[in-house]
Amino acid sequence: MEDLLFVWSYLLSRSPFLEDERLFTLAGDLDGLRPESPRVGRSRSPSPYRRSHSIFPGYRQRQNPRPNNCIVVFGMSPWTDELVLGNFLSMFGEIETINLIRTPEGVLDRLRFLPIKKLDQRTCIKFCVKNEIKCADAFRMLTVAYGEATLDRSNVYRWYKMFSEGREDVNDEERAGRPSTSTTDEKINEVKKMILANRRITVREVAEDLNISITSCHSIFINDLGMRRVAAKFVPKLLNCNQKQHSMNIANEMLDSVRDDPNLLQRVITGDEAWIYGYDVETKAQSSQWKLPHEPRPKKACQVRSNVKVLLTVFFDCRGMVHHEFLPQGRMVNKEYYLQVMRNLREAIRQKRPDLWKNKNWLLHHDNAPAHTSLLVRDFLAKNNTLMMPQPPYSPDLAPCDFFLFPKLKRPMKGRRYATLDEIKTASKEELKKIFLK
């Protein structure tokens, strides 16, 4: 059981507010206390250092004396007890009062306190200074209250003097401490050179080479250099300088076209193909679940995609889906198949986007797959005066189907099993409707 503070309040004979010499004892719910009939006693001696046999109403001590960790509080007359105690509690920030009751004799009953901290004795010294109690008397009372844990005489006198001179803070002042020999500018520069020379070097290797602790080395990495270790990002292909420059030029051209014609993107119809599997493995986020502290971590076996799959081709614009179709079983995605897709797309535009069909100002956007850039398809598009939106090679970040449509379509279908191609097609159509109806 946590020790609770034991507060003694007595009338200081040298106080200008003295009215009598009653000694009131206030205690909390402590294991060393037990209920008794209410009574208020008087001290038989005006000495504040005598252990009183008079217990406040409702409690008295057992055979074991009060605990060593107690605080001596100097009160005044009964009519000022509440004010003095309030000032004391305001300095003692972590004291909780419960059910304060004034008895006919003016005693505050049932005080419960939190465990004592190291700085409590300084708070008591400060309280003695505020009440003009001599330092020698304060030291003797601290000895009675804290026993062997009392501060030595020199510390008590030193803090008494500082509080008398106007100090209010009971905490120690910050110290400069010993200068660090591990986080100097020279060490930081050496760590930075080693990291720039080998980006995959570990903190332990750097600490061993520079003969510093791992903790100091890690602090240099994080706090001084502001660095963090990250994994490499997977990309479909690493572009060379010419390909990067070509992608940037096309992106700038598209930005200029949008600035010149703010409604340009409303006339763009984009599309692509994607395989939809009968079973696709769940992502790590999808397979996560809540667990209690005592429960084991869930496990899942390594799985692969099923061989049952169907190729879905989708074209859409800012208003919704324009055309979609599935690759017939037994056929391959080649220039002949994609030519038929282009013919079906034109018919869908004529029926679903009559304004664009009539003005013939719609733009087609697709990637640079071999079937898309074949001579047969290009001749067909040129013959029908179809405008093209440029697409740089190996740039899925500029293809809305790659970064928007297909991830959103496949995510709800991951972890589900579809036995037949018809089930895959039906589920794909339902997900497409949900996406474009939002």
Side-chain angles (χ1 to χ4, degrees), residues 20 26 28 48 56 66 110 135 147 327 347 364 371 407 433-434:
D20 54 20
L26 305 179
F56 72 100
R66 70 180 187 273
R110 292 201 64 201
C135 185
L327 177 68
E347 180 63 22
L364 176 64
K433 290 180 181 179
K434 293 178 182 178

Side-chain angles (χ1 to χ4, degrees), residues 19 41 70 99 101 107-108 131 140 242 288 318 375 377 403:
E19 291 190 359
C70 61
N99 298 333
I101 303 173
V107 182
L108 295 179
N131 286 272
R140 287 195 294 271
N242 294 332
S288 62
C318 63
L375 181 60
V377 174
F403 67 80

Side-chain angles (χ1 to χ4, degrees), residues 253-268 361 363 387 389:
E253 291 178 5
M254 296 172 64
L255 289 175
D256 294 338
S257 300
V258 172
R259 293 191 189 99
D260 297 337
D261 184 5
N263 298 324
L264 176 66
L265 296 180
Q266 299 179 6
R267 297 185 283 109
V268 175
N361 59 352
L363 289 83
L387 303 177
M389 175 71 72

Side-chain angles (χ1 to χ4, degrees), residues 270-271 316 365 391 396-407:
T270 182
F316 67 98
H365 176 262
Q391 169 70 17
D397 55 330
L398 297 180
C401 288
D402 292 329
F403 67 80
F404 163 70
L405 180 61
F406 292 145

Side-chain angles (χ1 to χ4, degrees), residues 129-140:
V129 172
K130 297 291 185 181
N131 286 272
E132 300 180 357
I133 300 171
K134 293 182 179 181
C135 185
D137 296 338
F139 178 72
R140 287 195 294 271

Side-chain angles (χ1 to χ4, degrees), residues 8 14 44 53 58 60 73 99 105 117 168 181 193 233 236 243 297 299 305 329 332 353 380 385 405 407 421:
W8 293 75
R14 57 184 70 87
R44 301 186 180 182
H53 299 285
R60 74 175 178 82
V73 182
N99 298 333
E105 297 294 335
K117 290 186 175 181
E168 296 293 335
T181 58
K193 290 179 181 179
K233 182 181 179 181
Q243 290 172 335
R297 182 177 179 179
K299 301 177 182 179
R305 295 171 175 171
Q329 190 174 5
M332 298 178 60
R353 302 291 186 266
F380 175 80
N385 298 323
L405 180 61
L421 296 180

Side-chain angles (χ1 to χ4, degrees), residues 174-184 213 216:
E174 295 184 359
R175 302 177 183 178
R178 190 185 71 176
S180 175
T181 58
S182 301
T183 57
T184 59
S213 65
S216 300

